[in-house]
Amino acid sequence: MKLYNHARSSASFRVRIALALKGLPYDYLPLHLARGEHLQPGLDALALERLVPVLELDDGQRLTQSMAIIEYLDETHPAPPLLPSDAVGRARVRALAQLIACDTHPLNNLRVLKYLVRSLKVDDEAKNAWYRHWVGLGLQAYERHLQQAPATYSHGHTPTLADCLLVPQIFNARRFGCDLSALPRTLAVFDACMQLPAFQQAQPSACPDFEP
Amino acid sequence: MKLYNHARSSASFRVRIALALKGLPYDYLPLHLARGEHLQPGLDALALERLVPVLELDDGQRLTQSMAIIEYLDETHPAPPLLPSDAVGRARVRALAQLIACDTHPLNNLRVLKYLVRSLKVDDEAKNAWYRHWVGLGLQAYERHLQQAPATYSHGHTPTLADCLLVPQIFNARRFGCDLSALPRTLAVFDACMQLPAFQQAQPSACPDFEP
C-alpha cells in the first residue's frame, strides 16, 4: 500500500496511527498541499477531492477520506480491532470520531483559515478566536462523552477509531495555543495514547517530510 | 425508537431517510435549535453535543452523529442494506458520505453562518459567497466521483448511506440559491432518489414541525 499524505495534515496523521496500530507496512508518499503538489498530473484520486490522505491499494485502487480509509483497514485487517464488538459501542466510537471529523476539524483546517484571512480579511486575533471557538466546542463535547464513561482510552481499554481522530486534534489545538485545562479526561486519554509506540511513530515530527 | 430532530436540520434529514428506507417506525420528537429547545433539562445526550439528531433506543440509550446512527441502523436492521457488500465499495460509499459530512456541510450550518454574521460582522453578500464557495468545492468533488463510476444512485443501483447525505445537501444548496448546473450526474442521482417514497417522506416539508 501507498499513503499519499503530509506530516502536518491531521487527516493523514489519523490514517498513519491506524496503519501503525495494525502493524501494516506502507510506502510514505509526501505531498505538500500548501505547495500544490497534490495537483500534479496522474494523481487522479487526489485530483477528485484535492485533499490528502489517499491510500493506494496494491491493485492501484485509491481510497479517500480518513475515516473511510480507517474503517477499510479495520475490515480487511481485523487485528487489533479499532471498533468495539457491540453495535451500540461501535455507534459511540463512530460518534466520537465524527465529533472531531465533522463538528471540529473542518472549521479549522488550512484552507478555511486561508479563506478567513484572504477573502474575509480577518485579522490574526479574530482568526485565532475562531479557531479556539470551534475547537473548544468540539473538545468540550468530547470531554462530556468521556466523563460519562471514563476508561483508559476514548472507549474502553484498547485504542479505537476515536483515538485515531482525537490525538491529531489535540496536537493541532496545542499548536494554536488553545487552553485545554478544562479537559482532564480528554488529556488523560491523549497521554495514554501517546505512551503507545504506534501513536509516537505516526506523529508529525516522526515523518520524513516534517519541517519544524 | 425516538428521533429528536428538526425538520430543517440536514443531519436530521439524513437519519429520517435511512429510517424510511429501512421501513422502521419511530416517534418524531421535534426540537427547535434556533429556540434553544435542545438545551432543556433531562435531554442529557443532546446536552452532550448540543446538536440534533439524537436517536433514542427502546432501552433509553441515546446515539448521536448522523452517520454513526445510520451505520447503527444498517447493522441492526440489515435489509435493505445501505452499504455495499465489498470492502472497497463500502470505503467508496463512506468516502462520498464524508465528503458531504466532513468537507462540505460543517462549513455551512446554522451555527457557523451565525458566527460569521455576529462575531466577524460579515455582510450578507460575503456570507452567501462563503456558503457557495464550500458547497461548490464539495459538490464538484462529488460530481467527479460520480463521473468516474456513473450509476442510478451515488453507488450502484440501490440507495446507500451516500445518498442519505447527498440529498439533504442538495436541498440546502438550492435553498441558498447555488448554481448546480455543472453537476449533471449529481442532480440525476438526486432526482432518482426523490422518485423514491422514502426520500419524499423524509423531506423537511413532510415533517410535522415544518415551517415554510
Side-chain angles (χ1 to χ4, degrees), chain A residues 48-49 75 90 144-145, chain B residues 48-49 75 90 144-145:
Chain A
L48 284 183
E49 292 182 42
E75 291 182 358
R90 282 193 295 279
R144 289 191 290 270
H145 274 283
Chain B
L48 284 183
E49 292 181 42
E75 291 181 356
R90 282 193 294 278
R144 289 191 290 272
H145 274 283

Side-chain angles (χ1 to χ4, degrees), chain A:
Chain A
M1 292 187 290
K2 294 176 186 170
L3 185 67
Y4 295 95
N5 81 130
H6 183 253
R8 287 275 197 206
S9 142
S10 288
S12 299
F13 187 1
R14 299 166 186 167
V15 175
R16 293 195 303 264
I17 294 168
L19 286 161
L21 285 168
K22 299 280 184 186
L24 296 171
Y26 62 98
D27 293 337
Y28 186 108
L29 295 172
L31 280 180
H32 202 297
L33 271 73
R35 295 188 200 127
E37 289 178 5
H38 56 305
L39 302 175
Q40 59 192 276
L43 298 177
D44 302 85
L46 299 174
L48 284 183
E49 292 182 42
R50 319 246 200 269
L51 294 168
V52 290
V54 175
L55 183 72
E56 185 172 299
L57 306 181
D58 292 337
D59 66 3
Q61 292 192 85
R62 284 169 172 167
L63 309 184
T64 58
Q65 295 289 340
S66 59
M67 285 191 300
I69 293 171
I70 296 171
E71 292 243 14
Y72 170 86
L73 293 171
D74 202 42
E75 291 182 358
T76 53
H77 302 83
L82 298 181
L83 288 169
S85 56
D86 63 305
V88 169
R90 282 193 295 279
R92 179 171 183 264
V93 167
R94 288 184 177 125
L96 287 170
Q98 291 163 24
L99 179 49
I100 302 294
C102 304
D103 293 346
T104 310
H105 182 256
L107 294 157
N108 290 328
N109 66 14
L110 185 64
R111 61 184 193 157
V112 174
L113 301 180
K114 275 187 180 168
Y115 190 102
L116 289 176
V117 172
R118 291 181 188 171
S119 299
L120 298 181
K121 310 296 179 201
V122 159
D123 64 21
D124 253 20
E125 193 183 332
K127 183 188 80 170
N128 291 333
W130 163 281
Y131 185 95
R132 287 192 291 264
H133 176 76
W134 300 113
V135 159
L137 279 186
L139 291 180
Q140 285 153 25
Y142 206 99
E143 177 75 13
R144 289 191 290 270
H145 274 283
L146 297 190
Q147 295 282 359
Q148 207 176 46
T152 310
Y153 299 102
S154 292
H155 185 88
H157 301 292
T158 55
T160 61
L161 170 68
D163 301 301
C164 297
L165 279 277
L166 175 64
V167 164
Q169 184 64 63
I170 298 290
F171 267 75
N172 219 322
R174 286 188 166 164
R175 213 178 146 200
F176 274 79
C178 297
D179 175 13
L180 305 178
S181 59
L183 309 168
R185 285 287 339 138
T186 306
L187 290 184
V189 166
F190 173 82
D191 289 340
C193 289
M194 291 308 297
Q195 299 284 317
L196 301 176
F199 286 82
Q200 291 279 349
Q201 291 159 18
Q203 66 183 317
S205 62
C207 289
D209 58 333
F210 178 71
E211 293 167 14

Side-chain angles (χ1 to χ4, degrees), chain B residues 5-8 16 28 201-211:
Chain B
N5 82 129
H6 183 254
R8 288 276 196 206
R16 293 195 302 263
Y28 185 109
Q201 292 159 17
Q203 66 184 315
S205 62
C207 290
D209 58 333
F210 178 71
E211 292 168 12

